[in-house]
Amino acid sequence: MPPDGRTTMDEADPRRAPLRAGLAELALSACDETVSQLLAYLDLLTKWNRAYNLSAVREPSQMVRQHLLDCLAALPALDRHLQDRPARILDVGSGAGLPGVVWALLRAHWRVCCVDAVAKKASFVRQVAAELRCRNLQSEHARVEQLQLPAFDIVVSRAFASLHDFTRLTQRHLAPGGCWVAMKARVHRDEIADLHPNIEVFHVEPLQVPGLEAQRCLVWMRPR
């Protein structure tokens, strides 16, 4: 406890210290306000979970690892690819906003659109954007193949569909020079072989999520 007897922010919320440690391990910087926003997002998710089944992960420390840090682990790779350029990101089958909400909170220069075919999930992300005043976050209730929006620099999915279906359903949303990023536990050769011949897998990037003993990777794809 500090000399004046006040409780520190880390002591006030036991989730804050492991989140801070995970950010440091990933070499990601985040101010206190951003860390508070990430935790406020988990609070909203917990609140909505009481009425809607948005996530099966409900224990606070697991939510930090399996929701926040799992999505944050991909950010350094996206940063290297985009080189600090402004970008339009489409999160397909976003569910409760993972990774879209997390990325939007840390990267204010990205315009992030979360799309989901389930109305309650899209409504939740819309509420998150409003309550956290995240102006670069947009939520759409639609099937991605019916979405009518300008093209995106990055189209991402996190356990949305097979690589074949993911690229097939979203190809028209990819801007020239853009690429797909699939967040996977692992990718099998058969799944890559099933891709359309005009789709190239140019990198499979292993990820290490702080505090999580599980395989993770990013599958980077682009039109040939």
Side-chain angles (χ1 to χ4, degrees), residues 141-192:
H141 171 221
R143 297 185 66 84
V144 67
E145 59 268 32
Q146 298 169 348
L147 194 64
Q148 299 294 326
L149 287 174
F152 294 83
D153 304 293
I154 299 285
V155 179
V156 63
S157 76
R158 184 175 183 255
F160 165 67
S162 68
L163 297 180
H164 172 80
D165 288 343
F166 170 45
T167 53
R168 176 179 61 83
L169 292 170
T170 61
Q171 188 156 12
R172 68 185 184 88
H173 298 301
L174 199 65
C179 62
W180 291 279
V181 179
M183 301 175 68
K184 293 272 192 179
R186 62 184 64 83
V187 62
H188 299 285
R189 291 181 181 178
D190 290 349
E191 191 175 2
I192 293 176

Side-chain angles (χ1 to χ4, degrees), residues 79-97:
D79 287 340
R80 288 193 299 271
H81 178 80
L82 292 169
Q83 298 182 346
D84 207 36
R85 299 189 304 270
R88 285 174 50 78
I89 313 289
L90 178 63
D91 180 7
V92 180
S94 183

Side-chain angles (χ1 to χ4, degrees), residues 39-213:
L39 295 176
Y41 164 59
L42 292 188
D43 290 339
L44 286 169
L45 181 53
T46 298
K47 178 181 176 181
W48 276 59
N49 253 345
R50 297 188 189 115
Y52 306 106
N53 185 26
L54 298 177
S55 169
V57 181
R58 296 170 184 264
E59 199 277 323
S61 63
Q62 290 184 9
M63 292 177 80
V64 169
R65 292 192 300 270
Q66 296 186 40
H67 290 334
L68 299 184
L69 294 177
D70 192 58
C71 294
L72 290 168
L75 261 189
L78 272 290
D79 287 340
R80 288 193 299 271
H81 178 80
L82 292 169
Q83 298 182 346
D84 207 36
R85 299 189 304 270
R88 285 174 50 78
I89 313 289
L90 178 63
D91 180 7
V92 180
S94 183
L98 300 163
V101 169
V102 177
W103 291 2
L105 289 173
L106 261 79
R107 295 292 177 261
H109 59 298
W110 295 356
R111 301 291 300 178
V112 180
C113 178
C114 295
V115 59
D116 203 281
V118 179
K120 65 184 179 184
K121 295 178 179 178
S123 295
F124 170 70
V125 174
R126 198 171 295 120
Q127 187 68 22
V128 168
E131 291 204 24
L132 301 186
R133 299 180 181 179
C134 190
R135 296 181 178 87
N136 61 323
L137 176 63
Q138 176 184 356
S139 177
E140 294 288 337
H141 171 221
R143 297 185 66 84
V144 67
E145 59 268 32
Q146 298 169 348
L147 194 64
Q148 299 294 326
L149 287 174
F152 294 83
D153 304 293
I154 299 285
V155 179
V156 63
S157 76
R158 184 175 183 255
F160 165 67
S162 68
L163 297 180
H164 172 80
D165 288 343
F166 170 45
T167 53
R168 176 179 61 83
L169 292 170
T170 61
Q171 188 156 12
R172 68 185 184 88
H173 298 301
L174 199 65
C179 62
W180 291 279
V181 179
M183 301 175 68
K184 293 272 192 179
R186 62 184 64 83
V187 62
H188 299 285
R189 291 181 181 178
D190 290 349
E191 191 175 2
I192 293 176
D194 193 43
L195 283 165
H196 192 280
N198 69 354
I199 306 296
E200 173 193 15
V201 174
F202 65 92
H203 187 34
V204 177
E205 183 165 357
L207 298 178
Q208 181 60 54
V209 180
L212 195 63
E213 296 297 327

Side-chain angles (χ1 to χ4, degrees), residues 20-32:
R20 276 282 187 199
L23 285 163
E25 187 174 334
L26 295 167
L28 293 171
S29 61
C31 64
D32 284 338

